[in-house]
Amino acid sequence: MRRASWMLSSWALLGPLAAGCGASHSHVTWSEDAAREDEAVFVARRPPPEPPAPSPTADPKAFAARYANPAVCEAAARRLQGASRDEAWDGLKACIEHTPFTQLNALLGRAWAQDLRVRPEGAKLIARVVAQRGGSVPGELRYLQEKQIPIFSLASAMDRPDTYKGRYVLLRAQVADQRSEGERPTVWLVEHALSSVQTDEVVGYGERIDSVTAYSGDVGGRGAASTVERSSRNTTRRFVENVSDETGREALGRLAGADPFLETRRDYVILARFDGVRLTSGGAETDDEAPRIPVLTIVSYHAPQALVVY
């Protein structure tokens, strides 16, 4: 039986189409296998996920050691506030206590203002940062008062004892003597302040010429003049150093117990509570001109760093 020509033409068209479909299917299968292999290689090369940061409450040293510098550490502690303000505060303390933290602006910023108002250790952290910035107390106190932080100077407390009684004072001082009053030891504090001194030191050679003219003569007015020149070569450079000097103010500081680390003749930045003034020996209570000395309860003390940061 003869087939219609159109049927033959249809089969002729279906043959290449079927072959094409088979080729297309084979190509798709190869692409999926290659993609899986590429994905496996990518997963194998990808570094393992970074472990979570240590909890500042459980391990404050590890938390602080994780970050490259104090500013990054403070930012990481601030990010914890959304989950837990207590843990965030522990993170901030870890940054201050275990890194060379000098970011006083960040500490007194809006992010930590609420914590500084309600947490009792806030004043201690401020005193520590002041010490780590070099211990230039008068300049730092001006900044604290601009931020309405209730920490004051010893001079202000001595001028108005009734106003400042019970408030915090911050001072830079040396221990001149230690005594015992019952079970509570007392230290004699001499307040110090930093001042800058300029010095010139020879660091190389340069040219300098000095000319000296001498006159000689007799009674008759006859005389002669001679000139002598001297030259030298040196180069000097000006250096500015910080020097700690006494301010003339002294105070008695009470301690909760004997502290062997509070050494004499060494500068400290001291945070204390002002307890008022008392008469020195030989003064009469009714004598308004009798010498009085301020009495402080030492809350914390910190050795200042050598560099002053403004």
Side-chain angles (χ1 to χ4, degrees):
M1 182 178 64
R2 297 179 64 184
R3 298 178 182 271
S5 61
W6 64 268
M7 295 181 66
L8 293 174
S9 300
S10 300
W11 281 108
L13 291 172
L14 289 173
L17 181 61
C21 291
S24 176
H25 178 72
S26 174
H27 176 72
V28 170
T29 303
W30 178 84
S31 298
E32 291 177 353
D33 293 341
R36 293 192 189 98
E37 292 178 0
D38 291 342
E39 183 178 1
V41 171
F42 176 76
V43 172
R45 291 179 178 177
R46 186 171 56 191
E50 189 175 356
S55 168
T57 303
D59 195 347
K61 285 186 177 181
F63 177 84
R66 183 182 178 89
Y67 302 101
N69 58 63
V72 176
C73 186
E74 184 273 333
R78 193 174 349 111
R79 288 194 295 268
L80 296 175
Q81 288 180 336
S84 171
R85 292 200 70 93
D86 290 338
E87 191 167 17
W89 181 254
D90 290 339
L92 177 65
K93 290 196 298 182
C95 297
I96 293 175
E97 294 173 356
H98 300 292
T99 71
F101 191 95
T102 58
Q103 283 70 24
L104 188 61
N105 293 341
L107 175 59
L108 301 183
R110 184 178 301 177
W112 303 107
Q114 176 184 348
D115 297 277
L116 290 176
R117 285 195 302 267
V118 301
R119 298 183 186 271
E121 68 268 32
K124 294 181 183 179
L125 293 183
I126 292 174
R128 188 182 187 107
V129 173
V130 169
Q132 291 174 175
R133 286 165 60 88
S136 181
V137 172
E140 306 288 34
L141 281 175
R142 285 192 292 269
Y143 182 65
L144 294 179
Q145 291 173 6
E146 291 176 2
K147 296 292 184 177
Q148 298 295 306
I149 303 298
I151 301 177
F152 306 96
S153 67
L154 179 61
S156 298
M158 293 176 66
D159 289 340
R160 292 186 290 169
D162 295 336
T163 301
Y164 291 95
K165 187 173 183 179
R167 299 183 181 273
Y168 283 132
V169 294
L170 189 69
L171 66 153
R172 183 185 182 115
Q174 289 187 3
V175 177
D177 192 13
Q178 299 189 27
R179 305 174 184 176
S180 296
E181 294 184 357
E183 297 181 354
R184 297 187 62 183
T186 302
V187 293
W188 190 283
L189 300 176
V190 178
E191 188 184 40
H192 279 62
L194 289 180
S195 60
S196 298
V197 176
Q198 296 182 354
T199 58
D200 293 332
E201 295 185 9
V202 177
V203 295
Y205 293 97
E207 185 174 358
R208 177 180 177 181
I209 300 176
D210 296 328
S211 177
V212 178
T213 302
Y215 295 92
S216 61
D218 54 19
V219 178
R222 295 183 297 272
S226 60
T227 301
V228 178
E229 291 188 352
R230 293 176 298 179
S231 64
S232 60
R233 295 176 176 270
N234 59 57
T235 302
T236 61
R237 179 179 298 174
R238 179 165 295 178
F239 293 88
V240 179
E241 297 179 338
N242 293 319
V243 178
S244 179
D245 294 323
E246 297 182 10
T247 65
R249 288 180 287 270
E250 300 178 347
L252 293 178
R254 296 169 175 169
L255 296 168
D259 190 343
F261 296 102
L262 190 59
E263 303 175 5
T264 58
R265 293 177 296 278
R266 181 181 177 185
D267 282 23
Y268 293 98
V269 173
I270 298 175
L271 175 71
R273 188 181 69 245
F274 181 68
D275 296 331
V277 296
R278 78 177 192 185
L279 292 171
T280 58
S281 58
E285 189 69 32
T286 57
D287 186 2
D288 294 336
E289 301 298 328
R292 288 172 169 82
I293 188 168
V295 180
L296 313 174
T297 296
I298 296 178
V299 177
S300 66
Y301 63 90
H302 312 277
Q305 298 298 315
L307 177 64
V308 177
V309 180
Y310 293 98

